[in-house]
Amino acid sequence: MKAVAAGAASLAPFFDERSGLGRDADVRSRPAHSGLQQGDTPGLYGGTGEAAICDVARLKRYLAEPRNDRKARAWAGALDLRTDEIPGYLDGLTPVLLRHDTLVRNHDYKKGKAVPFNALLQAGIAILVDDQGMPAVKCSCGNPLRPFEGDRNRISVSFDDGNERWKGYDRSEVVVVRPASHELKRIALVDVEDPGRGVERPVGTAGEEDTAFDTRKRRAVPSLIGTTFGEASRRLAGRGLAVAYDGEDLPPDGSRVTASDPAAGAELRFGTHVTLSVVRDESPSGGGTTPPDPGPSRPATSPSSPSSPSSPSSPSSGPSKSERPASSSGTPEAPSTPAGSAPPSPPSTASGPPPPSTRSAPPEPPGTTSAPPRTAPPPPTGGPASSAPATSVSATSEAPTTSAPAERPRRTRE
């Protein structure tokens, strides 16, 4: 695992760090509520009131130049794109600053090929994220980024090649980002120079359309009992609050929420985590005392579990939606059955809290779509399903975001 410090030059970058593609900032890593964060977590990323931190138009021109054709093919291949898809893909990305030391799958450019390696990016590094909040490009050098696939609890970070151990590094606060379960229309950032100022940035823009808000303003926790985990996550994000769940991995989006801590009506600062208790959905064929894990409802190329190491030497085929170019239409889809599980059915016995069958609140933020559903494997036969209540944990970040505005046509950077 290679450490990559803010402002440090890469040994084998796709483009010269001095070419003006991006500029890192001096940001102290923030304590994270959990090592696993969803891409739509309010305040996960930062912004600044200064000029754009990433020059996406310049990166697009570099990759289109004939003399960089081989490099462009390697760059596109690392992200499972065709070279003709590069412009549209870049137009859908959004520049942000990391507010946490973050694990990613980085790439060097050596001998005409993209060479992947696991990396820990320091807070303050400027990156481009896609429409599910996933790191996609390191701005200063143009290196493509993919999701980290490994055990974040067993990393060994190498501080060398000019990347000295930075002040504030804490292995226990390292973050892995997982895709949001829906397409984002706006990203709620925190101004790294003024934490009391929040910034809403439309996806695919570089800051010219930002709107500011007060992160200190409190907002009420919405009623979430009876909704699915995916719906609850979206509703909380729409209020500027973050979702939390005590476990090694996030539950499937279709799991039913049985409680929240704090409860509905509590007024919290922007970015505060609300811990959810859920009961996992089961298929009609029966249930077992230990419900099977249908796997994350996230795209296939995202890490299946942060505790299951898997570090391929080359990018996997069939990229997830979070890594593909955004839809040119940008038209939100109607809410559908949340991904990650079969439609909910009541448990066969009363050993666990029965999930409500008629309550399904719509997602709070307008203009979002759910990820394509995945079919959960049938549970083992046996006893009733058991719920997975979370303990009462609530961390406070800095401070709300407003619901996403009506959709606008996609802009193209030139």
Side-chain angles (χ1 to χ4, degrees):
M1 173 72 61
K2 292 180 61 176
V4 178
S10 301
L11 294 181
F14 268 74
F15 296 100
D16 192 329
E17 303 272 357
R18 300 165 297 180
S19 60
L21 286 174
R23 182 178 69 260
D24 297 336
D26 183 10
V27 177
R28 179 73 174 266
S29 180
R30 303 289 305 174
H33 176 275
S34 167
L36 190 66
Q37 298 286 321
Q38 295 190 105
D40 60 348
T41 299
L44 173 63
Y45 300 119
T48 176
E50 297 181 359
I53 55 176
C54 300
D55 193 336
V56 183
R58 179 175 292 185
L59 176 59
K60 190 192 302 186
R61 289 196 301 270
Y62 281 0
L63 290 169
E65 291 178 3
R67 64 188 177 91
N68 290 328
D69 179 68
R70 187 177 183 185
K71 187 174 292 187
R73 283 186 278 113
W75 191 94
L79 295 170
D80 283 343
L81 299 170
R82 301 188 309 270
T83 54
D84 64 334
E85 293 177 309
I86 291 176
Y89 179 73
L90 287 173
D91 285 339
L93 303 182
T94 309
V96 300
L97 293 170
L98 293 177
R99 296 184 71 224
H100 305 277
D101 294 343
T102 304
L103 292 169
V104 297
R105 189 78 162 160
N106 200 352
H107 294 79
D108 278 335
Y109 181 70
K110 297 179 178 179
K111 298 180 179 179
K113 296 181 179 180
V115 181
F117 64 96
N118 287 330
L120 175 64
L121 303 186
Q122 184 186 8
I125 287 179
I127 64 170
L128 296 171
V129 298
D130 66 15
D131 62 4
Q132 286 182 284
M134 291 297 293
V137 179
K138 185 174 180 291
C139 291
S140 65
C141 58
N143 287 3
L145 306 175
R146 294 293 290 266
F148 172 76
E149 298 181 351
D151 188 343
R152 58 187 167 83
N153 296 312
R154 300 178 62 182
I155 62 172
S156 178
V157 181
S158 174
F159 292 88
D160 53 21
D161 297 330
N163 297 286
E164 298 179 359
R165 182 184 294 265
W166 48 80
K167 185 178 181 181
Y169 168 69
D170 187 337
R171 175 176 170 176
S172 67
E173 294 178 357
V174 169
V175 161
V176 173
V177 182
R178 296 289 297 278
S181 62
H182 60 288
E183 290 184 21
L184 306 180
K185 301 304 178 185
R186 303 174 76 86
I187 299 177
L189 312 175
V190 171
D191 191 325
V192 296
E193 298 171 348
D194 179 10
R197 177 178 179 269
V199 175
E200 278 198 337
R201 178 165 297 168
V203 169
T205 66
E208 65 276 7
E209 298 180 27
D210 288 356
T211 55
F213 63 88
D214 188 351
T215 60
R216 297 162 296 190
K217 181 180 178 181
R218 293 181 177 271
R219 62 289 322 289
V221 176
S223 178
L224 301 171
I225 297 176
T227 64
T228 63
F229 184 81
E231 290 169 348
S233 299
R234 293 189 287 273
R235 295 189 66 192
L236 286 170
R239 296 287 183 94
L241 302 174
V243 65
Y245 177 80
D246 287 338
E248 287 298 317
D249 200 358
L250 297 173
D253 281 350
S255 302
R256 290 286 166 175
V257 175
T258 60
S260 69
D261 181 22
E267 294 190 347
L268 308 173
R269 287 169 63 98
F270 173 81
T272 299
H273 284 74
V274 177
T275 303
L276 302 181
S277 298
V278 305
V279 58
R280 291 173 181 256
D281 284 342
E282 300 291 340
S283 68
S285 61
T289 55
T290 302
D293 183 2
S297 59
R298 307 294 187 261
T301 54
S302 299
S304 58
S305 168
S307 59
S308 301
S310 174
S311 301
S313 59
S314 60
S316 58
S317 60
S320 66
K321 186 179 186 317
S322 70
E323 296 160 347
R324 302 294 294 168
S327 170
S328 58
S329 65
T331 303
E333 300 175 4
S336 59
T337 302
S341 66
S345 59
S348 57
T349 70
S351 64
S357 59
T358 60
R359 185 173 182 180
S360 180
E364 184 77 15
T368 60
T369 58
S370 300
R374 293 178 60 185
T375 303
T381 58
S386 59
S387 63
T391 57
S392 177
V393 178
S394 178
T396 300
S397 177
E398 270 147 337
T401 186
T402 58
S403 300
E407 183 181 344
R408 58 176 185 78
R410 173 73 66 195
R411 300 178 68 260
T412 300
R413 296 190 185 85
E414 295 300 337

